[in-house]
Amino acid sequence: MNIKKTGVFLYTMLSTVKVNLVGQLWLSEALVLLAAPFSVRPSDMKKYPYLKKILLALAALLLFQVLTDLVIVHNTPQNYLRGWAGTVIAAVSFVVLFKMLDDTQAILFFIFMTMIKYIIYTDDIVDSDMSWFKFKIAPILTMAVYLVVYYLYRRGEIRLVLFTLTVAALVCFTFDSRSTGVIFFLGALIIYLMNNGMHISRRKIIQYAVVAALLFQAGYMLYVRSVLDKDFGGDHARTQIGRLANPYNPLELLMTGRAETFAAGAAISDAPLFGHGSWAQDKTLKYYLILLMYHDEDMNMQAARETEHLVPSHSVLLGAWVNWGLGGFLAVLYLFVITVKMGFHIIRRGQDLALYPVLVLITIGLIWVYLFSPFQQLRLYIPGMTAIILNTYYGMVAEAAAEEAVIPSQMQAYGT
């Protein structure tokens, strides 16, 4: 096993062990801190402009964290050190993983070891049948699908790729892991369109968006009817849909399923410019009450006060705004835009890559994480997946530059 695979192995396996150091630190994060001096080169900032922009965005985020925590809300050291440490670790992880995942074999090994990690390690959040599939099985299934579609796409079996993604989506919908199912379904749709000569233009985007919206609404109505009739889905889905005033309105389902994201809006309106600070506590339970309102639940005040509640967001983008105000939001938004820009470049032009279906799914997954996942994913999930996108993007750029250099030399050889 070479040093690169050893690094991947240690990073994935150590990400299951926590130590108490400025809050809870995964041993994998301690590993990247130790590896950083051997990974960072000053020339990288010039050679890889997007990597430089990513680090600048995180530096800006850290600046706004310090401003809010020390000057505005006068946060406690325990809270602001945890918040700052997360951003520093995220920045270091971006660099180290970018250097570690710089070829296809390293990426595949990273995906494989991540699957093994999910098989071995079970998070404390898994405490019911619904959460067992969503937080235990779905991550394993996702990594397994990545490996399978890579193998099939490399062999040119595009129909089998689409079939695999469709089946995986149906399995996820059946067991109430709707977000993962949507990612698989959208991935299959994009792969099909991009491999059938679709040329992106403003007019076609509008046309496809209208058709997709109509098909989505029709499929969503069929899904709701099947869930209510107990022909499809699980108890969690029936409970959620059953409490909606209009179950056929997908926005209502999104509001109850991602209520933290909407509760974050109230928190932002209360402190729009500078936010509530790192690890801000919902001391009055104002935002927790809003959360319960979207869930159509009553509050047990005594029980609620016995537990520490943080100001909710469940969104990397909105979480930055909730905690560190408009400046924090803009810093993370810039990071998001950079990632999406590289991902869309790969989606448009990377159909010849063996990893293409994996890269499509990763791009969609990153968009979902930025919009609807806890802020901690900025240090846990986003660096590794962005490193894969970043390396692929610069691989495509280098290949395009090499091809452009060959053409003039060929013209000169033929005397033209």
Side-chain angles (χ1 to χ4, degrees), residues 47-354:
K47 187 176 181 181
Y48 306 109
Y50 276 134
L51 178 62
K52 179 180 178 180
K53 291 178 179 180
I54 286 172
L55 297 180
L56 288 175
L58 291 171
L61 174 62
L62 183 60
L63 176 64
F64 290 114
Q65 287 177 307
V66 172
L67 174 65
T68 295
D69 287 327
L70 295 185
V71 180
I72 305 300
V73 302
H74 306 289
N75 212 339
T76 64
Q78 179 184 10
N79 284 340
Y80 68 64
L81 287 177
R82 285 193 294 173
W84 302 356
T87 302
V88 172
I89 290 170
V92 175
S93 298
F94 270 105
V95 175
V96 173
L97 291 173
F98 173 65
K99 292 300 187 70
M100 191 182 294
L101 304 175
D102 62 351
D103 62 59
T104 300
Q105 292 307 310
I107 292 170
L108 292 173
F109 188 63
F110 175 74
I111 292 171
F112 173 75
M113 289 308 305
T114 302
M115 180 180 70
I116 298 301
K117 178 193 75 172
Y118 286 135
I119 292 173
I120 295 173
Y121 175 75
T122 302
D123 197 281
D124 294 338
I125 198 172
V126 177
D127 58 4
S128 66
D129 291 339
M130 185 279 295
S131 64
W132 174 260
F133 184 88
K134 185 174 182 178
F135 298 110
K136 176 68 176 181
I137 303 302
I140 298 172
L141 177 64
T142 297
M143 296 300 124
V145 168
Y146 284 1
L147 295 174
V148 170
V149 296
Y150 161 78
Y151 175 74
L152 294 174
Y153 195 84
R154 188 184 65 174
R155 294 180 55 189
E157 303 285 355
I158 296 179
R159 290 184 178 180
L160 285 179
V161 169
L162 301 177
F163 176 77
T164 300
L165 292 175
T166 303
V167 170
L170 291 174
V171 169
C172 290
F173 285 131
T174 301
F175 292 97
D176 292 345
S177 183
R178 291 187 296 261
S179 57
T180 306
V182 168
I183 291 171
F184 285 146
F185 178 77
L186 289 178
L189 181 62
I190 291 171
I191 292 166
Y192 171 77
L193 293 174
M194 299 308 294
N195 276 277
N196 282 274
M198 175 185 173
H199 298 288
I200 298 177
S201 65
R202 182 179 300 178
R203 180 180 177 182
K204 285 195 173 182
I205 289 176
I206 295 174
Q207 291 175 342
Y208 279 111
V210 171
V211 174
L214 293 174
L215 291 176
F216 170 79
Q217 185 62 35
Y220 175 75
M221 293 175 69
L222 179 63
Y223 166 76
V224 169
R225 188 70 268 162
S226 299
V227 169
L228 293 177
D229 290 341
K230 299 183 179 182
D231 295 329
F232 194 74
D235 293 335
H236 178 69
R238 277 188 286 276
T239 300
Q240 279 191 332
I241 292 175
R243 64 178 177 234
L244 302 180
N246 178 11
Y248 297 104
N249 181 355
L251 183 59
E252 285 195 29
L253 181 60
L254 180 63
M255 291 172 67
T256 191
R258 287 292 183 267
E260 296 91 346
T261 303
F262 292 90
I268 290 171
S269 66
D270 288 340
L273 293 181
F274 299 105
H276 297 264
S278 300
W279 292 86
Q281 294 183 13
D282 185 8
K283 296 180 179 179
T284 65
L285 299 179
K286 172 183 177 179
Y287 310 114
Y288 183 60
L289 181 60
I290 294 173
L291 190 67
L292 293 179
M293 180 184 68
Y294 279 110
H295 286 164
D296 195 23
E297 298 177 26
D298 295 326
M299 176 184 283
N300 182 332
M301 291 297 295
Q302 182 177 353
R305 293 189 184 280
E306 292 175 356
T307 305
E308 180 181 278
H309 294 278
L310 300 179
V311 177
S313 63
H314 215 277
S315 166
V316 175
L317 283 167
L318 294 184
W321 201 339
V322 165
N323 291 293
W324 307 293
L326 181 59
F329 169 74
L330 292 176
V332 176
L333 178 63
Y334 183 59
L335 188 64
F336 173 68
V337 170
I338 291 171
T339 304
V340 171
K341 187 175 181 179
M342 289 189 294
F344 282 5
H345 177 87
I346 294 169
I347 289 174
R348 289 196 305 268
R349 304 182 183 182
Q351 292 89 348
D352 293 335
L353 300 172

